Amino acid sequence: MKQYRCTVCGYVYDPKNGDPDNEIKPGTSFEDLPDDWTCPICGASKDQFEPAE
Amino acid sequence: MQVYEIKKDIYWVGAVDWLVRDFHGYSTYKGTTYNAFLMFDEKNVLFDTVKHNLCSDLVHRIRTLTDPEKIDYIVVNHVEMDHTGCLPEIVELVKPEKIICSKMGHKNLLAHFHRPDWPYHVVENGETISVGKRSITFIETRMLHWPDSMFSYIPEEKLLISSDAFGQHLGTSERFDDEVDESELMYQAKKYYANILYLYSPQVRKLLKSVAEAGLEIDMIAPDHGVIWRKGPDKILKAYEDWSHHRGTKKALVIYDTMWHSTEMMAKAVADGLESTGISVKLLDLAVNHRSEIVTDVIDAKGICLGCPTLNNGLLPRMAGFLMYLRGLRPAQKFGFAFGSYGWSGEAVKHMNKAMEEWKFELVHEGIKVKYVPTHDDLKRCKEAGQLMGKKIIEALEDQA
């Protein structure tokens, strides 16, 4: 599963870890994150993420 | 020590740093201030603290007004150490009932001071707490300029305590915008924006929009650095609006480094070409201009020309360092052009073009490389490239208008 980088602060969403701060379980793909999910560091919305290289 | 009442029962109790000249690589030739504010009400509230080495200034000022233990709440609008450096001493002295911070502020305070035992009180974005006759509304401003940043707004006083936003590194004995030279103030505010906030321009635009939509009445903006905007809160809001929209002006920069003056000759020719089209030009040699001054000029320049000779198949280190600094500040919506002399391989132009392409600058020319020393014809080509950029800038600004 692909990692995604926040274009605002540089945080990388790694599906392997999920996002415990927002109660996202490990193994959740970026596409499966809820639409109102935001970056746990800077609060950027999902559309401000891009695939990480 | 002197304290200043900025609103009824709200005092400036911060510190002036007359000595600082290098603020993590940002040149602060005028020094700076670390502003902290003490508000008296049924609950007494201290907003922010100061850098560690100036802790005693803050404590003296607080003691001029009250016994520190009479302070009930400490608000941490921003965790960076120029505002929290003396927090451990102040917490010890004040024994606060609450340390108020954002969710990220809580995390970052723990990561700085490793004190899980402090009485944190985490506020949500938009949450209001009453402190007696008055209240404080907290507005999260994540990434302006740290994840923990927030504003404290006191509606009854129309006062916005804005943390680092709207600040200036300007150390003075004056506390208000109308007491200092206006052009110096606006230059320092612009320099602050360029070096600290430029990369977060999209967030600045969003914030300004949400402040306007929420209809917050503001007649005073009190940042954590420099003077307080009481005459011109609208002026600084308008300036942020302009800077955050990347509204370029009829201005171009020729930023260069040189070894044996060849690239310098080219830089002058490029500047000459720009000037001949009526564009305002600055010729900035990296050897004598500080990067934090140069980026202050970058924010309202529409054209950026970069000149550097090739050294050991790459860039001169001053240009490489400058590009790394500018890259982090995410410049946008500009025209670009690269040039430089070389001896045998000549990679410098390629590196500068690559950087500007990454920033999505529109390159007006493929770049000019000159072997060793430019001829008269080489300099003519440089001048023409400058003219080409000048014309592009004029056209773009006409379209924008």
Side-chain angles (χ1 to χ4, degrees), chain B residues 97-256:
Chain B
E97 183 187 326
K98 290 176 182 175
I99 296 174
I100 298 172
C101 56
S102 65
K103 184 176 154 196
M104 292 309 291
H106 180 220
K107 282 189 178 183
N108 290 353
L109 282 170
L110 287 170
H112 275 74
F113 302 106
H114 317 296
R115 292 296 302 262
D117 54 314
W118 283 356
Y120 302 102
H121 178 91
V122 174
V123 286
E124 295 289 326
N125 181 32
E127 187 175 332
T128 300
I129 63 163
S130 171
V131 291
K133 291 192 291 295
R134 290 167 295 189
S135 60
I136 312 165
T137 300
F138 300 98
I139 303 165
E140 268 196 337
T141 57
R142 285 196 193 192
M143 301 323 286
L144 297 176
H145 67 115
W146 274 23
D148 46 73
S149 301
M150 66 175 188
F151 289 172
S152 296
Y153 173 63
I154 299 153
E156 295 82 0
E157 301 289 353
K158 300 180 184 173
L159 169 64
L160 183 70
I161 297 176
S162 63
S163 184
D164 275 345
F166 314 116
Q168 335 92 43
H169 284 315
L170 184 59
T172 58
S173 62
E174 289 76 20
R175 299 275 69 83
F176 294 100
D177 54 348
D178 50 288
E179 298 171 329
V180 298
D181 178 77
E182 195 173 337
S183 59
E184 172 77 49
L185 170 62
M186 291 314 290
Y187 178 75
Q188 294 300 340
K190 183 180 169 196
K191 185 172 176 182
Y192 196 89
Y193 188 90
N195 284 277
I196 306 290
L197 295 164
Y198 189 40
L199 71 162
Y200 300 120
S201 288
Q203 286 72 37
V204 171
R205 293 198 294 270
K206 221 162 107 183
L207 177 73
L208 292 176
K209 204 170 153 231
S210 67
V211 166
E213 280 169 3
L216 296 191
E217 284 187 86
I218 298 168
D219 73 6
M220 185 183 284
I221 297 177
D224 273 359
H225 294 290
V227 297
I228 295 161
W229 304 90
R230 76 174 166 194
K231 179 188 166 205
D234 294 341
K235 192 180 171 109
I236 189 65
L237 287 168
K238 169 76 173 60
Y240 267 50
E241 175 85 22
D242 285 344
W243 297 329
S244 67
H245 277 92
H246 301 291
R247 285 183 188 133
T249 58
K250 230 170 111 182
K251 169 177 162 183
L253 309 179
V254 183
I255 303 162
Y256 70 97

Side-chain angles (χ1 to χ4, degrees), chain A:
Chain A
M1 278 187 286
K2 226 188 218 167
Q3 298 184 348
Y4 279 74
R5 183 187 307 279
C6 174
T7 57
V8 177
C9 72
Y11 163 84
V12 174
Y13 176 76
D14 187 344
K16 211 167 66 213
N17 305 327
D19 170 17
D21 281 6
N22 289 310
E23 291 163 1
I24 301 293
K25 289 196 183 94
T28 307
S29 72
F30 183 80
E31 291 75 14
D32 287 340
L33 291 170
D35 289 343
D36 60 356
W37 178 83
T38 58
C39 173
I41 303 296
C42 74
S45 53
K46 219 178 143 180
D47 59 0
Q48 288 173 283
F49 278 69
E50 58 186 26
E53 278 159 28

